[in-house]
Amino acid sequence: MRKLSEQKIVRIVSLLKEGKPLPEDYKAILFDIKREYELIYAGKEREEDILADTMAVPLQGVKTFRNGKSGNGWTNMLIFGDNLQVLKTLLQMKQEGKLKNADGMPGVRLICIDPPFATRQEFRGSQDQKAYQDKIAGAMFLEFLRKRLVFLRELLSENGSIYVHLDWKKGHYVKVLIDEVLGEQNFRHDIIWKRTTAHSNVNMLGIIHDVIYLYTRSQDFIWNKQFEKYSDSFLSTHYQRVDEKGRFTDDNLIAPGTGGYVYEWKGVTKSWRCPKETMERWEKEGKLYYTKQGVARFKRYLEEMPGVSLQDLWLNINPINSQAIEATGYPTQKPEALLDRIIKASSTPGDLVLDCFAGSGTTLAVAEKLGRQWIGVDCGKLAIYTIQKRLLNIAESKDLENPKKKYGKPCKLFTLYNSGLYDYRMIKELPWEQYRDFALKLFQCRDERHEISKIELDGYLGADSVMVFNYQKHPNAVLDRGFIDDLHKYLGDKIGRRFFIIAPAASVRFLEDYIEKGKTKYFILRIPYSIIEEIHKRGFSKIKQPVSEMDVNDTVDAVGFDFIQVPTVECKYFIANKKGQLELGSGTKECVIKIERFESKVISRKPLEFANLETLSMVMLDYDFDGEVFDLDDVFYAEDLKKNGYEVRFAEDKGKKQIMVIYIDIFGNEKREIKTLSDFNGKRKR
């Protein structure tokens, strides 16, 4: 047994004294579970510590999109945030009975993930630019992925399945990890997806495949058999005969060896594959064919055959190219046909599908089209806006069964959530009970109302009591030293070494993290600002946004939470000649946004200083903003902007009635502006 922290010991003792069961997180904290084998590497944590120590952060609803109705009260979820923290929150939702499938079974029926491959191999994305270059390598990548696999296992339904998409470099390491986490006995398939385009080198073989590992939670799992269409070469070889009913091939009806049914048929006595009654039925249906020797053979008609049973080598699914109808322009986008096959195989309509590396949203779009419920998570703003656009325009996308037709249906209800980066203005506007619930979850407190000396308290942090300061009920009250003095008069001899108060920062009248009275420290957990080392083992780290297309899939663990701080942006807007053109003329005018100042407002214990423009991540544009929903049309990365003097340029005729411009910093904060062409007409530059 490992050495427990004092906080964990106090909590375990408290629960045992109260006769309450220990949380699942503590199962193996008290008892070491040994494995017969495992992959050893630097920085590998115990599963029990991962489950217990990962912060769960609350979900803040930003907007619910109501294009179509939800059939059963469920609203699909698109979540912006670090997926590890989100998975901890989703696990709590499962334990509370909030995640269910169509048959009522708790958990997620199907998980599909396409994590960064960590190979440092350059792929090609839209406009033949470098799509991304993974920078988490070796042990760091393995532990990064393993932590998430631990939570994904816990989220799976008892008959659920998980598909993990990897490349040829890291796949073998990760298979050993998944064997540890999910059990080698639950490994089902090593699927090879053969791409039609190769990433090759003159000194090596062409690389034309990825691997997809299929595991299940248990021996009981959903599997819907699928068939592939026959190839032209197969048809030309096997279905050459034609009669009035169509194309057919004839199969031998003579049983091999000593098995079968022995009887005379049409003067020929043989050991047949089927009983005589079946032969009689087939004769009436015109499905028997006879050789010159009078031996019966079976007519197998093409239109009655579903195709070839699906194998573990997938050859007929092409990767996305920039001209494909379904292309979003997002690097590393996977084809819908790939996810169509996976989702059909391991789920049924109404089941819950999760992708916590959602990227361009292919898993979510296909789940939507196939009538599944879905949850998507990504830490990139580019991914979130790409998915939002894809779902809101799904009716115009191709139908899965007939790609020449449009899907034609609006997406069902889905809500966009923030997780780990919050809009404090929206928090303040919540009704009190919702605010209280959010505040407790924000600081990992248990919601257990109780009283001490007739003072109502809201919960516990570990074994210590927590009060949520009701600023709505007492709008003129302030939390100052006098408040702490009065509180201590009632509670001083009835509480332990620590007491926590959650309060709006604006209501607090002192700067210290805590006020010490006798043996007790009264800690103040400020919203929107609180980073207290005593209650968190490691410092908070922010979500990071990419500055180039190569960095889109870079993934860094975020810890804790932060609040939106709108960056300061100053720009000039004008119309100029298209670069390379000397004279203004038809098709040569460009709208230009010249970014002159971009500064992020960062709240931190340790002062952080950034140069002008250093924290810019990207600029996104909607050329035809409808006044309601941002519909991503174009993205300009900071690295490219730097090379072009921080100028965003686009053809003048792209600008419609309104243009929405979103400036995003590397921490995920946004500055939004709405412009019209008249805003650019004030100046012209040659």
Side-chain angles (χ1 to χ4, degrees):
M1 185 181 76
R2 70 168 179 145
K3 184 177 180 180
L4 298 175
S5 67
E6 183 179 348
Q7 183 177 337
K8 284 190 172 68
I9 292 172
V10 170
R11 186 180 179 196
I12 290 171
V13 171
S14 174
L15 290 171
L16 291 174
K17 284 182 177 179
E18 296 173 17
K20 295 180 179 179
L22 295 178
E24 287 295 312
D25 296 354
Y26 284 78
K27 275 194 306 185
I29 288 181
L30 299 175
F31 308 100
D32 282 325
I33 300 175
K34 302 295 184 183
R35 293 189 178 93
E36 293 182 3
Y37 65 90
E38 63 177 311
L39 189 65
I40 304 297
Y41 51 84
K44 187 175 183 179
E45 297 182 30
R46 290 161 33 106
E47 286 188 11
E48 311 80 67
D49 298 335
I50 294 169
L51 288 167
D53 296 341
T54 298
M55 282 189 69
V57 287
L59 305 181
Q60 180 183 46
V62 177
K63 183 178 180 62
T64 297
F65 297 89
R66 303 180 181 276
N67 277 23
K69 295 181 179 179
S70 176
N72 57 0
W74 167 264
T75 299
N76 292 320
M77 305 173 71
L78 177 59
I79 306 171
F80 167 66
D82 175 72
N83 57 11
L84 185 63
Q85 296 189 146
V86 172
L87 291 175
K88 177 71 174 274
T89 301
L90 292 176
L91 182 56
Q92 292 178 347
M93 291 177 63
K94 177 191 174 185
Q95 294 165 348
E96 294 166 2
K98 296 178 181 178
L99 299 184
K100 293 182 179 180
N101 294 284
D103 59 3
M105 181 176 285
V108 177
R109 186 83 76 204
L110 173 61
I111 296 171
C112 306
I113 61 171
D114 181 13
F117 295 157
T119 61
R120 297 184 180 273
Q121 179 183 356
E122 295 178 4
F123 290 75
R124 296 288 171 179
S126 59
Q127 301 175 350
D128 198 36
Q129 295 178 1
K130 295 175 182 177
Y132 72 82
Q133 195 173 32
D134 295 305
K135 294 179 181 177
I136 298 178
M140 288 177 61
F141 169 72
L142 292 175
E143 185 63 2
F144 163 85
L145 185 55
R146 177 174 163 270
K147 288 179 181 178
R148 284 139 183 90
L149 288 168
V150 169
F151 277 102
L152 292 173
R153 177 195 64 205
E154 298 302 310
L155 279 167
L156 270 178
S157 300
E158 283 304 310
N159 61 355
S161 303
I162 179 170
Y163 290 74
V164 183
H165 185 163
L166 293 156
D167 76 346
W168 59 282
K169 282 191 175 181
K170 280 291 181 289
H172 306 86
Y173 294 98
V174 174
K175 177 167 187 318
V176 176
L177 280 186
I178 312 177
D179 283 344
E180 288 182 25
V181 175
L182 283 154
E184 188 178 3
Q185 73 278 8
N186 292 319
F187 173 59
R188 299 287 164 241
H189 289 289
D190 178 357
I191 299 166
I192 302 298
W193 173 37
K194 178 183 176 294
R195 302 185 305 262
T196 56
T197 45
H199 306 298
S200 59
N201 184 295
V202 293
N203 296 320
M204 59 188 293
L205 298 173
I207 302 166
I208 60 171
H209 82 279
D210 285 349
V211 294
I212 303 172
Y213 294 127
L214 167 57
Y215 283 76
T216 58
R217 180 70 191 268
S218 67
Q219 300 298 306
D220 175 29
F221 56 92
I222 289 177
W223 182 253
N224 302 310
K225 194 170 184 179
Q226 296 184 68
F227 299 88
E228 291 187 274
K229 292 182 179 179
Y230 294 116
S231 66
D232 291 338
S233 61
F234 179 86
L235 293 176
S236 64
T237 304
H238 293 82
Y239 283 86
Q240 297 176 321
R241 298 176 182 273
V242 181
D243 65 9
E244 66 279 2
K245 291 184 178 181
R247 295 178 66 175
F248 70 92
T249 187
D250 56 301
D251 288 351
N252 183 16
L253 287 175
I254 299 174
T258 58
Y261 303 85
V262 179
Y263 55 85
E264 179 186 336
W265 180 260
K266 302 292 184 178
V268 178
T269 301
K270 293 284 185 182
S271 177
W272 304 98
R273 290 177 180 268
C274 57
K276 195 170 186 178
E277 293 78 9
T278 303
M279 294 282 259
E280 291 171 347
R281 176 167 54 83
W282 284 345
E283 178 78 0
K284 290 179 182 179
E285 294 173 353
K287 290 185 176 180
L288 292 184
Y289 169 81
Y290 296 93
T291 66
K292 292 179 180 180
Q293 291 76 27
V295 178
R297 295 176 68 86
F298 178 66
K299 285 184 178 181
R300 192 178 300 279
Y301 286 95
L302 177 61
E303 65 177 21
E304 296 177 352
M305 302 306 298
V308 181
S309 181
L310 192 62
Q311 309 297 311
D312 62 7
L313 178 60
W314 294 359
L315 306 175
N316 59 347
I317 299 176
N318 296 330
I320 297 295
N321 63 65
S322 60
Q323 303 305 312
I325 296 174
E326 66 187 80
T328 64
Y330 189 89
T332 73
Q333 179 183 349
K334 298 302 182 290
E336 290 192 356
L338 184 67
L339 274 300
D340 175 65
R341 181 172 290 182
I342 289 171
I343 293 172
K344 282 179 178 175
S346 297
S347 68
T348 57
D351 283 345
L352 189 51
V353 178
L354 167 66
D355 186 349
C356 63
F357 295 92
S360 68
T362 301
T363 300
L364 314 184
V366 175
E368 176 79 24
K369 292 180 181 181
L370 293 177
R372 275 63 168 175
Q373 302 173 155
W374 54 261
I375 301 173
V377 186
D378 206 284
C379 63
K381 281 292 179 77
L382 175 60
I384 295 299
Y385 284 122
T386 298
I387 295 168
Q388 177 180 296
K389 177 186 179 76
R390 186 171 187 173
L391 291 168
L392 294 176
N393 293 281
I394 199 170
E396 297 300 310
S397 68
K398 69 180 183 180
D399 185 78
L400 291 173
E401 300 300 326
N402 186 355
K404 294 182 179 179
K405 292 175 59 179
K406 292 181 179 180
Y407 173 61
K409 301 176 186 177
C411 66
K412 293 180 181 177
L413 289 174
F414 74 93
T415 298
L416 173 63
Y417 294 91
N418 282 341
S419 177
L421 183 65
Y422 303 109
D423 185 339
Y424 182 53
R425 176 186 54 80
M426 294 180 66
I427 296 173
K428 287 175 64 178
E429 293 172 357
L430 291 172
W432 171 251
E433 282 302 317
Q434 292 182 36
Y435 174 90
R436 175 185 170 278
D437 178 67
F438 188 93
L440 289 169
K441 288 179 178 176
L442 196 63
F443 293 100
Q444 316 288 289
C445 302
R446 304 194 309 282
D447 184 353
E448 294 181 20
R449 286 185 168 93
H450 59 287
E451 281 190 3
I452 298 178
S453 296
K454 296 185 179 182
I455 295 178
E456 294 183 2
L457 303 176
D458 295 276
Y460 294 93
L461 181 54
D464 302 309
S465 292
V466 176
M467 169 191 288
V468 181
F469 184 74
N470 195 335
Y471 73 96
Q472 294 182 7
K473 186 177 180 180
H474 308 287
N476 297 320
V478 294
L479 208 166
D480 56 13
R481 294 177 182 276
F483 181 93
I484 301 297
D485 289 339
D486 292 341
L487 196 61
H488 186 66
K489 289 177 184 177
Y490 290 94
L491 303 179
D493 58 349
K494 299 178 179 66
I495 56 177
R497 295 187 306 104
R498 304 189 304 178
F499 185 89
F500 294 94
I501 306 171
I502 303 174
S507 300
V508 182
R509 290 294 183 266
F510 51 85
L511 299 177
E512 299 97 314
D513 282 339
Y514 62 86
I515 299 293
E516 193 164 5
K517 292 289 181 181
K519 66 175 183 178
T520 304
K521 293 179 180 177
Y522 291 85
F523 286 89
I524 310 302
L525 308 180
R526 293 169 173 82
I527 301 178
Y529 172 66
S530 185
I531 303 175
I532 298 179
E533 293 180 1
E534 184 154 343
I535 65 171
H536 298 293
K537 289 187 174 180
R538 47 181 171 166
F540 287 7
S541 60
K542 302 172 185 292
I543 294 173
K544 292 292 181 69
Q545 301 300 304
V547 297
S548 72
E549 193 175 15
M550 285 171 52
D551 298 334
V552 165
N553 272 36
D554 279 2
T555 311
V556 178
D557 278 323
V559 179
F561 56 86
D562 201 355
F563 293 86
I564 293 171
Q565 303 287 332
V566 178
T568 299
V569 183
E570 294 179 4
C571 303
K572 287 183 179 179
Y573 305 88
F574 55 88
I575 291 178
N577 283 351
K578 188 175 181 179
K579 283 196 171 182
Q581 299 286 339
L582 296 177
E583 299 293 336
L584 282 173
S586 177
T588 64
K589 296 178 183 178
E590 288 186 323
C591 292
V592 182
I593 303 174
K594 173 73 173 179
I595 307 172
E596 297 189 328
R597 182 185 176 198
F598 186 92
E599 296 177 358
S600 296
K601 301 174 183 177
V602 181
I603 296 178
S604 175
R605 288 283 181 179
K606 299 176 182 178
L608 299 175
E609 294 184 4
F610 297 98
N612 182 31
L613 300 166
E614 184 181 353
T615 58
L616 177 64
S617 167
M618 64 185 75
V619 179
M620 296 181 178
L621 295 178
D622 177 358
Y623 296 119
D624 190 17
F625 180 56
D626 65 3
E628 181 66 23
V629 177
F630 179 76
D631 194 19
L632 174 64
D633 287 323
D634 218 339
V635 58
F636 298 83
Y637 296 97
E639 187 174 281
D640 298 324
L641 291 172
K642 184 177 181 179
K643 296 174 184 175
N644 294 301
Y646 288 99
E647 289 185 352
V648 175
R649 287 176 168 262
F650 57 92
E652 185 182 26
D653 58 7
K654 282 188 175 181
K656 309 297 181 182
K657 293 181 180 179
Q658 292 187 120
I659 303 167
M660 168 71 88
V661 187
I662 301 182
Y663 306 88
I664 300 179
D665 72 11
I666 58 175
F667 308 115
N669 298 295
E670 300 180 2
K671 169 73 173 181
R672 295 184 168 211
E673 292 183 339
I674 297 176
K675 297 294 178 182
T676 64
L677 285 179
S678 62
D679 293 309
F680 293 84
N681 286 330
K683 289 187 178 182
R684 290 179 181 269
K685 289 193 177 184
R686 288 181 174 240

